[in-house]
Short mmCIF file of all heavy atoms in Angstrom, two decimals:
data_model
loop_
_atom_site.label_atom_id
_atom_site.label_comp_id
_atom_site.label_asym_id
_atom_site.label_seq_id
_atom_site.Cartn_x
_atom_site.Cartn_y
_atom_site.Cartn_z
N ASP P 134 -15.27 54.21 -52.94
CA ASP P 134 -16.33 54.87 -53.72
C ASP P 134 -16.79 56.09 -52.93
O ASP P 134 -17.62 55.97 -52.03
CB ASP P 134 -17.49 53.90 -53.93
CG ASP P 134 -18.64 54.51 -54.71
OD1 ASP P 134 -18.59 55.72 -55.02
OD2 ASP P 134 -19.61 53.78 -55.00
N PRO P 135 -16.26 57.28 -53.21
CA PRO P 135 -16.59 58.47 -52.42
C PRO P 135 -18.08 58.76 -52.34
O PRO P 135 -18.57 59.24 -51.31
CB PRO P 135 -15.84 59.59 -53.14
CG PRO P 135 -14.72 58.90 -53.85
CD PRO P 135 -15.28 57.58 -54.27
N ALA P 136 -18.80 58.45 -53.41
CA ALA P 136 -20.24 58.73 -53.41
C ALA P 136 -20.96 57.87 -52.36
O ALA P 136 -21.92 58.33 -51.73
CB ALA P 136 -20.82 58.47 -54.80
N ARG P 137 -20.49 56.64 -52.18
CA ARG P 137 -21.11 55.77 -51.19
C ARG P 137 -20.88 56.31 -49.78
O ARG P 137 -21.80 56.31 -48.95
CB ARG P 137 -20.55 54.35 -51.31
CG ARG P 137 -21.21 53.35 -50.38
CD ARG P 137 -20.94 51.92 -50.79
NE ARG P 137 -19.53 51.56 -50.65
CZ ARG P 137 -19.05 50.33 -50.88
NH1 ARG P 137 -19.88 49.37 -51.30
NH2 ARG P 137 -17.77 50.06 -50.74
N ALA P 138 -19.67 56.77 -49.50
CA ALA P 138 -19.39 57.36 -48.19
C ALA P 138 -20.20 58.63 -47.98
O ALA P 138 -20.73 58.86 -46.88
CB ALA P 138 -17.89 57.66 -48.07
N GLN P 139 -20.32 59.44 -49.02
CA GLN P 139 -21.08 60.69 -48.92
C GLN P 139 -22.54 60.42 -48.63
O GLN P 139 -23.18 61.10 -47.81
CB GLN P 139 -20.94 61.49 -50.21
CG GLN P 139 -21.62 62.86 -50.19
CD GLN P 139 -20.97 63.80 -49.20
OE1 GLN P 139 -19.78 64.05 -49.26
NE2 GLN P 139 -21.76 64.31 -48.26
N GLU P 140 -23.09 59.42 -49.31
CA GLU P 140 -24.51 59.09 -49.11
C GLU P 140 -24.77 58.61 -47.68
O GLU P 140 -25.75 59.02 -47.05
CB GLU P 140 -24.93 58.02 -50.12
CG GLU P 140 -26.42 57.80 -50.23
CD GLU P 140 -26.96 56.82 -49.19
OE1 GLU P 140 -26.18 55.96 -48.74
OE2 GLU P 140 -28.15 56.92 -48.84
N LEU P 141 -23.88 57.76 -47.15
CA LEU P 141 -24.05 57.27 -45.79
C LEU P 141 -23.87 58.41 -44.79
O LEU P 141 -24.63 58.50 -43.82
CB LEU P 141 -23.06 56.14 -45.50
CG LEU P 141 -23.10 55.56 -44.09
CD1 LEU P 141 -24.47 54.96 -43.78
CD2 LEU P 141 -22.00 54.49 -43.92
N ALA P 142 -22.88 59.24 -45.00
CA ALA P 142 -22.66 60.38 -44.11
C ALA P 142 -23.89 61.28 -44.06
O ALA P 142 -24.29 61.77 -42.98
CB ALA P 142 -21.44 61.17 -44.55
N HIS P 143 -24.50 61.51 -45.22
CA HIS P 143 -25.71 62.33 -45.27
C HIS P 143 -26.84 61.70 -44.46
O HIS P 143 -27.54 62.39 -43.69
CB HIS P 143 -26.15 62.52 -46.72
CG HIS P 143 -27.41 63.32 -46.87
ND1 HIS P 143 -27.47 64.69 -46.68
CD2 HIS P 143 -28.68 62.93 -47.18
CE1 HIS P 143 -28.71 65.11 -46.86
NE2 HIS P 143 -29.46 64.06 -47.17
N ARG P 144 -27.01 60.39 -44.59
CA ARG P 144 -28.08 59.71 -43.86
C ARG P 144 -27.86 59.75 -42.35
O ARG P 144 -28.82 59.83 -41.58
CB ARG P 144 -28.18 58.25 -44.32
CG ARG P 144 -28.95 58.07 -45.62
CD ARG P 144 -29.28 56.63 -45.88
NE ARG P 144 -28.14 55.88 -46.40
CZ ARG P 144 -27.72 54.72 -45.91
NH1 ARG P 144 -28.31 54.19 -44.85
NH2 ARG P 144 -26.69 54.11 -46.45
N LEU P 145 -26.59 59.67 -41.93
CA LEU P 145 -26.30 59.61 -40.50
C LEU P 145 -26.04 60.98 -39.88
O LEU P 145 -25.90 61.09 -38.66
CB LEU P 145 -25.07 58.72 -40.27
CG LEU P 145 -25.19 57.25 -40.67
CD1 LEU P 145 -23.88 56.52 -40.39
CD2 LEU P 145 -26.33 56.57 -39.92
N GLY P 146 -25.95 62.00 -40.71
CA GLY P 146 -25.62 63.31 -40.19
C GLY P 146 -24.16 63.43 -39.78
O GLY P 146 -23.82 64.17 -38.85
N GLU P 147 -23.29 62.72 -40.49
CA GLU P 147 -21.86 62.73 -40.20
C GLU P 147 -21.10 63.37 -41.36
O GLU P 147 -21.71 63.88 -42.31
CB GLU P 147 -21.37 61.30 -39.94
CG GLU P 147 -22.10 60.57 -38.82
CD GLU P 147 -21.81 61.10 -37.43
OE1 GLU P 147 -20.95 62.00 -37.30
OE2 GLU P 147 -22.43 60.63 -36.46
N THR P 148 -19.77 63.32 -41.31
CA THR P 148 -18.93 63.95 -42.31
C THR P 148 -18.27 62.92 -43.21
O THR P 148 -17.78 61.90 -42.71
CB THR P 148 -17.82 64.78 -41.63
OG1 THR P 148 -18.43 65.78 -40.79
CG2 THR P 148 -16.92 65.48 -42.66
N ALA P 149 -18.26 63.17 -44.51
CA ALA P 149 -17.56 62.29 -45.46
C ALA P 149 -16.24 62.94 -45.84
O ALA P 149 -16.14 64.15 -45.99
CB ALA P 149 -18.41 62.05 -46.70
N ALA P 150 -15.21 62.10 -45.99
CA ALA P 150 -13.90 62.55 -46.43
C ALA P 150 -13.63 62.00 -47.82
O ALA P 150 -14.04 60.87 -48.13
CB ALA P 150 -12.82 62.10 -45.46
N PRO P 151 -12.92 62.75 -48.66
CA PRO P 151 -12.68 62.26 -50.03
C PRO P 151 -11.73 61.08 -50.10
O PRO P 151 -11.71 60.35 -51.09
CB PRO P 151 -12.08 63.49 -50.74
CG PRO P 151 -11.56 64.35 -49.65
CD PRO P 151 -12.45 64.13 -48.48
N GLY P 152 -10.92 60.85 -49.05
CA GLY P 152 -9.98 59.73 -49.07
C GLY P 152 -9.41 59.44 -47.70
O GLY P 152 -9.71 60.12 -46.71
#
Side-chain angles (χ1 to χ4, degrees):
D134 179 355
R137 184 164 66 177
Q139 184 66 56
E140 192 275 333
L141 178 60
H143 178 74
R144 279 192 282 130
L145 297 179
E147 303 290 355
T148 301

